[in-house]
Amino acid sequence: MKINQIIREKRKELSLTQEQIAEFLGVSTPAVSKWERGSTYPDITLLPALARLLRTDLNTLLSFSDDLSDIEIKNFVNALDQTIQERGYDAAFQKALHRIREYPTCEKLIFSVTLYLEGALALYNVSESGQYREAYEAFYRRLAASDTPEIRDTAAGMLISYARNRGDFSKAEELIRDLPFSAIDREEQLAILYQQQKRYGDAEKIWERRVLRGAAEMQTALINLLETALLEERESDAAFLADVYEALTRQLCFPEWMCCNAHLQLALAKKDRERSLSVLQKMLPAMKNEWHPQDCPLYRSTAGGASADFSSKLAQKICDELMNSEEYAFLRGGAGLEALIPQ
Protein backbone atom coordinates (compact mmCIF):
# COMPACT_ATOMS: atom_id res chain seq x y z
CA MET A 1 0.00 0.00 0.00
CA LYS A 2 1.35 3.43 -0.95
CA ILE A 3 2.01 6.23 1.54
CA ASN A 4 -0.99 8.27 0.36
CA GLN A 5 -3.32 5.31 0.95
CA ILE A 6 -1.79 4.68 4.39
CA ILE A 7 -2.24 8.32 5.43
CA ARG A 8 -5.87 8.31 4.28
CA GLU A 9 -6.70 4.97 5.90
CA LYS A 10 -5.01 5.74 9.22
CA ARG A 11 -6.66 9.18 9.38
CA LYS A 12 -10.11 7.67 8.82
CA GLU A 13 -9.47 4.91 11.37
CA LEU A 14 -8.82 7.63 13.96
CA SER A 15 -11.84 9.70 12.79
CA LEU A 16 -9.62 12.68 12.06
CA THR A 17 -10.38 15.25 9.35
CA GLN A 18 -7.86 16.63 6.88
CA GLU A 19 -8.29 19.99 8.59
CA GLN A 20 -7.28 18.47 11.96
CA ILE A 21 -4.21 16.81 10.46
CA ALA A 22 -3.21 20.12 8.87
CA GLU A 23 -3.70 22.04 12.13
CA PHE A 24 -1.67 19.57 14.18
CA LEU A 25 1.23 19.63 11.70
CA GLY A 26 1.12 23.33 10.88
CA VAL A 27 0.42 22.86 7.17
CA SER A 28 -2.52 23.74 4.94
CA THR A 29 -5.56 21.53 4.41
CA PRO A 30 -4.95 21.43 0.61
CA ALA A 31 -1.46 20.07 1.37
CA VAL A 32 -2.94 17.14 3.31
CA SER A 33 -5.45 16.59 0.52
CA LYS A 34 -2.59 16.39 -2.01
CA TRP A 35 -0.78 13.86 0.20
CA GLU A 36 -3.83 11.61 0.23
CA ARG A 37 -4.28 11.92 -3.52
CA GLY A 38 -0.63 11.02 -4.05
CA SER A 39 0.14 14.17 -6.04
CA THR A 40 2.68 15.39 -3.45
CA TYR A 41 4.38 13.92 -0.38
CA PRO A 42 4.92 15.21 3.17
CA ASP A 43 8.21 16.97 3.87
CA ILE A 44 10.71 14.55 5.42
CA THR A 45 10.86 16.67 8.59
CA LEU A 46 7.13 16.11 9.12
CA LEU A 47 7.23 12.31 8.86
CA PRO A 48 8.01 11.48 12.54
CA ALA A 49 5.24 13.79 13.78
CA LEU A 50 2.83 12.47 11.14
CA ALA A 51 3.58 8.87 12.14
CA ARG A 52 2.95 9.69 15.81
CA LEU A 53 -0.26 11.54 14.95
CA LEU A 54 -1.52 8.56 12.94
CA ARG A 55 -0.42 6.17 15.72
CA THR A 56 1.85 4.16 13.46
CA ASP A 57 5.58 3.81 12.82
CA LEU A 58 7.77 5.14 10.06
CA ASN A 59 8.28 1.70 8.52
CA THR A 60 4.54 1.32 8.05
CA LEU A 61 4.05 4.91 6.96
CA LEU A 62 6.77 4.63 4.31
CA SER A 63 5.61 1.16 3.23
CA PHE A 64 8.88 -0.52 4.18
CA SER A 65 6.82 -3.54 5.29
CA ASP A 66 5.34 -4.49 1.95
CA ASP A 67 2.04 -6.32 1.76
CA LEU A 68 2.26 -10.10 1.80
CA SER A 69 1.86 -11.94 -1.48
CA ASP A 70 -1.14 -14.16 -2.14
CA ILE A 71 0.94 -17.32 -1.73
CA GLU A 72 2.40 -16.03 1.57
CA ILE A 73 -1.12 -15.38 2.85
CA LYS A 74 -2.29 -18.82 1.72
CA ASN A 75 0.65 -20.50 3.44
CA PHE A 76 0.03 -18.52 6.62
CA VAL A 77 -3.64 -19.56 6.73
CA ASN A 78 -2.56 -23.19 6.27
CA ALA A 79 -0.11 -22.72 9.14
CA LEU A 80 -2.96 -21.41 11.33
CA ASP A 81 -4.91 -24.62 10.68
CA GLN A 82 -1.87 -26.65 11.70
CA THR A 83 -1.49 -24.53 14.84
CA ILE A 84 -5.11 -25.20 15.84
CA GLN A 85 -4.57 -28.94 15.49
CA GLU A 86 -1.31 -28.94 17.46
CA ARG A 87 -1.74 -26.17 20.05
CA GLY A 88 -5.39 -25.15 20.04
CA TYR A 89 -7.56 -22.35 18.67
CA ASP A 90 -6.36 -19.56 20.96
CA ALA A 91 -2.74 -20.12 19.94
CA ALA A 92 -3.75 -19.71 16.28
CA PHE A 93 -5.76 -16.59 17.15
CA GLN A 94 -2.79 -14.98 18.93
CA LYS A 95 -0.51 -15.95 16.03
CA ALA A 96 -2.91 -14.27 13.60
CA LEU A 97 -3.08 -11.08 15.67
CA HIS A 98 0.71 -10.90 15.77
CA ARG A 99 0.96 -11.20 11.96
CA ILE A 100 -1.77 -8.60 11.44
CA ARG A 101 0.12 -6.18 13.71
CA GLU A 102 3.16 -6.72 11.49
CA TYR A 103 1.14 -5.94 8.36
CA PRO A 104 -1.71 -3.70 9.62
CA THR A 105 -2.57 -2.34 6.18
CA CYS A 106 -2.60 -5.68 4.32
CA GLU A 107 -6.32 -6.08 3.70
CA LYS A 108 -5.97 -9.45 1.97
CA LEU A 109 -4.20 -10.85 5.02
CA ILE A 110 -6.83 -9.54 7.46
CA PHE A 111 -9.63 -10.72 5.14
CA SER A 112 -8.27 -14.25 4.61
CA VAL A 113 -7.27 -14.80 8.24
CA THR A 114 -10.54 -13.51 9.68
CA LEU A 115 -12.70 -15.59 7.34
CA TYR A 116 -10.67 -18.71 8.08
CA LEU A 117 -10.73 -18.27 11.86
CA GLU A 118 -14.44 -17.45 11.76
CA GLY A 119 -15.16 -20.74 9.99
CA ALA A 120 -12.79 -22.65 12.26
CA LEU A 121 -14.85 -21.63 15.32
CA ALA A 122 -17.58 -23.99 14.17
CA LEU A 123 -15.37 -26.57 12.50
CA TYR A 124 -13.34 -27.14 15.66
CA ASN A 125 -16.26 -26.72 18.10
CA VAL A 126 -14.64 -23.78 19.91
CA SER A 127 -16.46 -22.92 23.12
CA GLU A 128 -16.74 -19.40 24.53
CA SER A 129 -16.27 -17.86 21.10
CA GLY A 130 -17.60 -14.40 22.06
CA GLN A 131 -14.17 -12.82 22.64
CA TYR A 132 -12.99 -13.97 19.23
CA ARG A 133 -16.11 -12.80 17.43
CA GLU A 134 -15.70 -9.32 18.94
CA ALA A 135 -12.25 -9.10 17.35
CA TYR A 136 -13.53 -10.41 14.01
CA GLU A 137 -16.40 -7.94 13.96
CA ALA A 138 -13.91 -5.11 14.48
CA PHE A 139 -11.88 -6.40 11.53
CA TYR A 140 -15.02 -6.64 9.38
CA ARG A 141 -15.83 -3.00 10.20
CA ARG A 142 -12.40 -2.01 8.89
CA LEU A 143 -12.74 -4.17 5.80
CA ALA A 144 -16.21 -2.82 5.02
CA ALA A 145 -14.49 0.42 3.96
CA SER A 146 -12.13 -1.38 1.56
CA ASP A 147 -11.71 -0.22 -2.02
CA THR A 148 -11.71 -3.89 -3.12
CA PRO A 149 -15.33 -4.89 -3.92
CA GLU A 150 -14.94 -8.55 -2.92
CA ILE A 151 -13.46 -7.67 0.46
CA ARG A 152 -15.89 -4.80 1.09
CA ASP A 153 -19.01 -6.77 0.14
CA THR A 154 -18.06 -9.88 2.10
CA ALA A 155 -17.25 -7.81 5.19
CA ALA A 156 -20.58 -5.99 4.89
CA GLY A 157 -22.37 -9.33 4.64
CA MET A 158 -20.63 -10.61 7.78
CA LEU A 159 -21.54 -7.44 9.71
CA ILE A 160 -25.18 -7.94 8.70
CA SER A 161 -25.00 -11.54 9.91
CA TYR A 162 -23.47 -10.46 13.24
CA ALA A 163 -26.17 -7.86 13.82
CA ARG A 164 -28.94 -10.28 12.84
CA ASN A 165 -27.63 -13.10 15.04
CA ARG A 166 -27.56 -10.93 18.15
CA GLY A 167 -31.07 -9.67 17.44
CA ASP A 168 -30.05 -6.14 16.44
CA PHE A 169 -32.45 -6.11 13.51
CA SER A 170 -32.54 -2.33 13.10
CA LYS A 171 -28.74 -2.30 12.65
CA ALA A 172 -28.95 -5.21 10.23
CA GLU A 173 -31.56 -3.36 8.15
CA GLU A 174 -29.47 -0.19 8.21
CA LEU A 175 -26.44 -2.10 6.91
CA ILE A 176 -28.52 -3.78 4.21
CA ARG A 177 -29.93 -0.47 3.00
CA ASP A 178 -26.40 0.99 2.86
CA LEU A 179 -25.18 -1.71 0.49
CA PRO A 180 -24.03 -0.31 -2.87
CA PHE A 181 -26.29 -0.99 -5.83
CA SER A 182 -25.30 -1.27 -9.46
CA ALA A 183 -27.58 -2.08 -12.35
CA ILE A 184 -24.55 -3.23 -14.37
CA ASP A 185 -23.25 -6.75 -13.81
CA ARG A 186 -19.54 -6.21 -14.37
CA GLU A 187 -18.68 -9.90 -14.39
CA GLU A 188 -21.33 -10.70 -16.97
CA GLN A 189 -20.22 -7.83 -19.19
CA LEU A 190 -16.62 -9.08 -19.04
CA ALA A 191 -17.65 -12.62 -19.97
CA ILE A 192 -19.61 -11.39 -22.98
CA LEU A 193 -16.69 -9.18 -24.01
CA TYR A 194 -14.24 -12.09 -23.73
CA GLN A 195 -16.47 -14.24 -25.92
CA GLN A 196 -16.60 -11.54 -28.58
CA GLN A 197 -12.80 -11.31 -28.43
CA LYS A 198 -12.62 -15.11 -28.79
CA ARG A 199 -10.99 -15.32 -25.35
CA TYR A 200 -13.06 -18.39 -24.69
CA GLY A 201 -11.01 -19.69 -21.77
CA ASP A 202 -11.39 -16.42 -19.85
CA ALA A 203 -15.13 -16.30 -20.58
CA GLU A 204 -15.54 -19.93 -19.57
CA LYS A 205 -13.92 -19.34 -16.18
CA ILE A 206 -16.38 -16.54 -15.42
CA TRP A 207 -19.44 -18.57 -16.44
CA GLU A 208 -18.21 -21.57 -14.45
CA ARG A 209 -17.80 -19.43 -11.34
CA ARG A 210 -21.33 -18.16 -11.82
CA VAL A 211 -22.67 -21.71 -12.10
CA LEU A 212 -20.90 -22.68 -8.87
CA ARG A 213 -22.05 -19.54 -7.08
CA GLY A 214 -25.58 -19.84 -8.41
CA ALA A 215 -25.78 -23.50 -7.41
CA ALA A 216 -24.64 -22.65 -3.87
CA GLU A 217 -27.26 -19.89 -3.66
CA MET A 218 -29.99 -22.27 -4.84
CA GLN A 219 -28.90 -24.88 -2.28
CA THR A 220 -29.08 -22.28 0.48
CA ALA A 221 -32.52 -21.13 -0.69
CA LEU A 222 -33.86 -24.69 -0.84
CA ILE A 223 -32.59 -25.50 2.66
CA ASN A 224 -34.26 -22.37 4.03
CA LEU A 225 -37.50 -23.21 2.21
CA LEU A 226 -37.33 -26.70 3.70
CA GLU A 227 -36.84 -25.29 7.21
CA THR A 228 -39.80 -22.96 6.70
CA ALA A 229 -41.99 -25.84 5.51
CA LEU A 230 -41.06 -27.86 8.61
CA LEU A 231 -41.82 -24.94 10.92
CA GLU A 232 -45.22 -24.61 9.27
CA GLU A 233 -45.73 -28.41 9.48
CA ARG A 234 -45.97 -28.79 5.70
CA GLU A 235 -44.25 -32.16 5.64
CA SER A 236 -45.11 -33.05 2.05
CA ASP A 237 -43.63 -29.74 0.86
CA ALA A 238 -40.52 -30.36 2.95
CA ALA A 239 -40.09 -33.81 1.39
CA PHE A 240 -40.52 -32.33 -2.10
CA LEU A 241 -37.89 -29.65 -1.39
CA ALA A 242 -35.44 -32.27 -0.11
CA ASP A 243 -35.90 -34.21 -3.36
CA VAL A 244 -35.32 -31.07 -5.42
CA TYR A 245 -32.18 -30.29 -3.43
CA GLU A 246 -30.79 -33.76 -4.02
CA ALA A 247 -31.61 -33.71 -7.75
CA LEU A 248 -30.11 -30.24 -8.22
CA THR A 249 -26.94 -31.09 -6.31
CA ARG A 250 -26.42 -34.31 -8.22
CA GLN A 251 -27.24 -32.76 -11.61
CA LEU A 252 -24.68 -30.00 -11.00
CA CYS A 253 -21.97 -32.57 -10.19
CA PHE A 254 -21.42 -31.63 -6.56
CA PRO A 255 -19.85 -34.17 -4.15
CA GLU A 256 -22.05 -37.16 -3.40
CA TRP A 257 -22.19 -36.41 0.32
CA MET A 258 -23.72 -32.98 -0.37
CA CYS A 259 -26.63 -34.67 -2.12
CA CYS A 260 -27.63 -36.12 1.25
CA ASN A 261 -27.73 -32.82 3.18
CA ALA A 262 -31.41 -31.96 2.78
CA HIS A 263 -32.70 -35.49 3.38
CA LEU A 264 -30.56 -35.77 6.52
CA GLN A 265 -31.91 -32.46 7.81
CA LEU A 266 -35.46 -33.60 7.09
CA ALA A 267 -34.99 -36.97 8.78
CA LEU A 268 -33.37 -35.43 11.87
CA ALA A 269 -36.09 -32.79 12.17
CA LYS A 270 -38.77 -35.51 12.05
CA LYS A 271 -36.73 -37.63 14.50
CA ASP A 272 -36.95 -40.47 12.01
CA ARG A 273 -34.25 -42.78 13.40
CA GLU A 274 -34.29 -45.35 10.61
CA ARG A 275 -34.20 -42.76 7.83
CA SER A 276 -31.50 -40.70 9.55
CA LEU A 277 -29.23 -43.72 9.92
CA SER A 278 -29.87 -44.74 6.32
CA VAL A 279 -28.81 -41.30 5.03
CA LEU A 280 -25.76 -41.20 7.32
CA GLN A 281 -24.72 -44.63 6.08
CA LYS A 282 -24.33 -43.14 2.58
CA MET A 283 -23.15 -39.68 3.59
CA LEU A 284 -20.32 -40.28 6.08
CA PRO A 285 -18.17 -42.62 3.93
CA ALA A 286 -18.60 -40.26 0.95
CA MET A 287 -17.11 -37.40 2.98
CA LYS A 288 -13.73 -39.15 2.92
CA ASN A 289 -13.45 -38.62 -0.84
CA GLU A 290 -11.92 -35.60 -2.56
CA TRP A 291 -14.06 -33.62 -4.97
CA HIS A 292 -12.53 -32.70 -8.32
CA PRO A 293 -15.01 -30.32 -10.00
CA GLN A 294 -12.94 -30.15 -13.17
CA ASP A 295 -13.91 -33.79 -13.87
CA CYS A 296 -17.35 -32.44 -14.81
CA PRO A 297 -17.74 -30.51 -18.11
CA LEU A 298 -19.50 -27.77 -16.14
CA TYR A 299 -16.31 -26.87 -14.31
CA ARG A 300 -13.47 -28.02 -16.56
CA SER A 301 -11.54 -24.74 -16.07
CA THR A 302 -12.05 -24.68 -12.30
CA ALA A 303 -8.90 -25.23 -10.29
CA GLY A 304 -8.84 -27.32 -7.14
CA GLY A 305 -11.89 -28.50 -5.27
CA ALA A 306 -13.11 -29.49 -1.83
CA SER A 307 -10.39 -31.40 -0.04
CA ALA A 308 -11.05 -34.68 1.70
CA ASP A 309 -9.36 -33.16 4.77
CA PHE A 310 -12.03 -30.46 5.05
CA SER A 311 -14.97 -32.80 4.50
CA SER A 312 -13.47 -35.28 6.98
CA LYS A 313 -13.29 -32.55 9.63
CA LEU A 314 -16.87 -31.62 8.85
CA ALA A 315 -17.87 -35.27 9.16
CA GLN A 316 -16.18 -35.41 12.56
CA LYS A 317 -18.09 -32.31 13.67
CA ILE A 318 -21.37 -33.90 12.56
CA CYS A 319 -20.51 -37.12 14.39
CA ASP A 320 -19.62 -35.22 17.58
CA GLU A 321 -22.98 -33.43 17.53
CA LEU A 322 -24.91 -36.63 16.85
CA MET A 323 -23.15 -38.45 19.69
CA ASN A 324 -23.28 -35.66 22.27
CA SER A 325 -26.20 -33.35 21.59
CA GLU A 326 -29.41 -33.99 23.51
CA GLU A 327 -31.31 -33.06 20.35
CA TYR A 328 -30.11 -36.24 18.66
CA ALA A 329 -30.44 -38.61 21.61
CA PHE A 330 -33.12 -40.52 19.66
CA LEU A 331 -30.37 -41.82 17.35
CA ARG A 332 -28.26 -43.34 20.09
CA GLY A 333 -28.61 -46.73 21.67
CA GLY A 334 -28.24 -50.03 19.89
CA ALA A 335 -25.70 -50.68 17.20
CA GLY A 336 -27.08 -48.25 14.61
CA LEU A 337 -25.28 -44.93 15.08
CA GLU A 338 -22.27 -46.39 16.92
CA ALA A 339 -21.57 -48.70 14.00
CA LEU A 340 -21.36 -45.73 11.61
CA ILE A 341 -19.06 -43.58 13.73
CA PRO A 342 -15.43 -44.64 14.23
CA GLN A 343 -14.42 -44.72 17.88
Side-chain angles (χ1 to χ4, degrees):
M1 187 177 292
K2 297 179 180 178
I3 185 172
N4 64 303
Q5 295 172 305
I6 294 172
I7 294 172
R8 183 175 66 246
E9 180 174 303
K10 292 293 184 182
R11 175 179 64 78
K12 289 183 176 180
E13 283 180 13
L14 296 170
S15 299
L16 293 172
T17 65
Q18 291 182 344
E19 289 79 5
Q20 288 173 313
I21 295 289
E23 182 180 352
F24 290 147
L25 296 177
V27 298
S28 67
T29 301
V32 177
S33 177
K34 289 179 180 179
W35 298 347
E36 294 192 358
R37 292 201 307 272
S39 56
T40 62
Y41 296 96
D43 187 276
I44 191 169
T45 61
L46 293 174
L47 291 177
L50 178 59
R52 287 193 294 271
L53 179 59
L54 297 176
R55 299 182 188 177
T56 188
D57 55 69
L58 282 173
N59 283 345
T60 300
L61 185 63
L62 297 175
S63 306
F64 288 150
S65 294
D66 294 330
D67 284 353
L68 293 170
S69 67
D70 289 348
I71 189 63
E72 287 176 316
I73 292 171
K74 180 181 179 181
N75 289 339
F76 181 69
V77 171
N78 290 338
L80 288 181
D81 187 74
Q82 190 67 29
T83 300
I84 291 177
Q85 296 181 51
E86 294 176 354
R87 297 166 49 206
Y89 188 91
D90 192 68
F93 175 74
Q94 297 301 331
K95 183 175 183 176
L97 289 185
H98 179 74
R99 182 56 59 91
I100 289 171
R101 292 187 189 108
E102 286 184 308
Y103 298 91
T105 61
C106 185
E107 289 184 343
K108 282 188 177 181
L109 171 68
I110 300 171
F111 179 68
S112 300
V113 164
T114 305
L115 280 184
Y116 165 74
L117 289 174
E118 177 90 43
L121 283 173
L123 192 59
Y124 288 97
N125 295 312
V126 178
S127 60
E128 300 181 4
S129 60
Q131 59 172 322
Y132 304 118
R133 294 191 188 280
E134 285 183 13
Y136 303 152
E137 187 170 8
F139 285 138
Y140 289 134
R141 282 197 292 269
R142 286 175 56 183
L143 295 172
S146 172
D147 292 331
T148 305
E150 179 190 0
I151 293 177
R152 181 187 65 237
D153 295 348
T154 302
M158 293 304 297
L159 289 173
I160 291 168
S161 177
Y162 269 62
R164 190 173 60 235
N165 289 340
R166 64 170 170 260
D168 190 351
F169 300 125
S170 59
K171 182 62 177 178
E173 182 172 352
E174 176 189 333
L175 290 167
I176 291 170
R177 293 188 181 279
D178 286 343
L179 289 174
F181 172 80
S182 174
I184 299 175
D185 187 326
R186 184 176 65 175
E187 190 178 55
E188 179 180 290
Q189 293 299 318
L190 277 174
I192 294 171
L193 175 64
Y194 291 157
Q195 285 182 212
Q196 291 176 334
Q197 293 176 307
K198 297 184 178 180
R199 294 169 57 182
Y200 300 125
D202 291 330
E204 190 174 60
K205 288 177 183 177
I206 292 177
W207 294 126
E208 287 182 3
R209 284 199 303 268
R210 288 178 78 98
V211 170
L212 279 169
R213 189 164 61 242
E217 289 174 355
M218 289 184 68
Q219 287 174 318
T220 300
L222 286 166
I223 286 294
N224 280 282
L225 285 170
L226 187 151
E227 290 179 354
T228 301
L230 288 172
L231 290 169
E232 294 181 343
E233 299 182 355
R234 295 183 284 110
E235 292 191 6
S236 61
D237 288 349
F240 169 78
L241 291 163
D243 288 340
V244 172
Y245 181 99
E246 179 180 1
L248 172 75
T249 304
R250 182 164 283 111
Q251 191 68 36
L252 292 173
C253 306
F254 276 72
E256 181 62 27
W257 65 267
M258 285 190 186
C259 301
C260 304
N261 279 346
H263 279 295
L264 178 62
Q265 182 164 328
L266 179 60
L268 291 174
K270 295 173 66 176
K271 297 194 181 300
D272 185 334
R273 185 175 189 275
E274 183 177 347
R275 178 60 177 159
S276 297
L277 294 175
S278 175
V279 175
L280 287 167
Q281 192 171 24
K282 293 187 296 183
M283 183 176 180
L284 293 177
M287 297 182 81
K288 298 177 182 178
N289 303 324
E290 286 209 17
W291 177 47
H292 301 285
Q294 59 272 21
D295 291 342
C296 173
L298 273 174
Y299 317 114
R300 67 176 189 165
S301 300
T302 301
S307 71
D309 182 55
F310 171 79
S311 56
S312 293
K313 289 175 183 175
L314 184 59
Q316 185 58 54
K317 174 177 170 57
I318 292 171
C319 292
D320 289 344
E321 289 188 4
L322 294 176
M323 290 298 293
N324 299 305
S325 173
E326 185 61 31
E327 182 180 357
Y328 305 121
F330 71 94
L331 290 174
R332 300 192 285 271
L337 183 61
E338 287 75 5
L340 295 175
I341 297 178
Q343 301 300 315

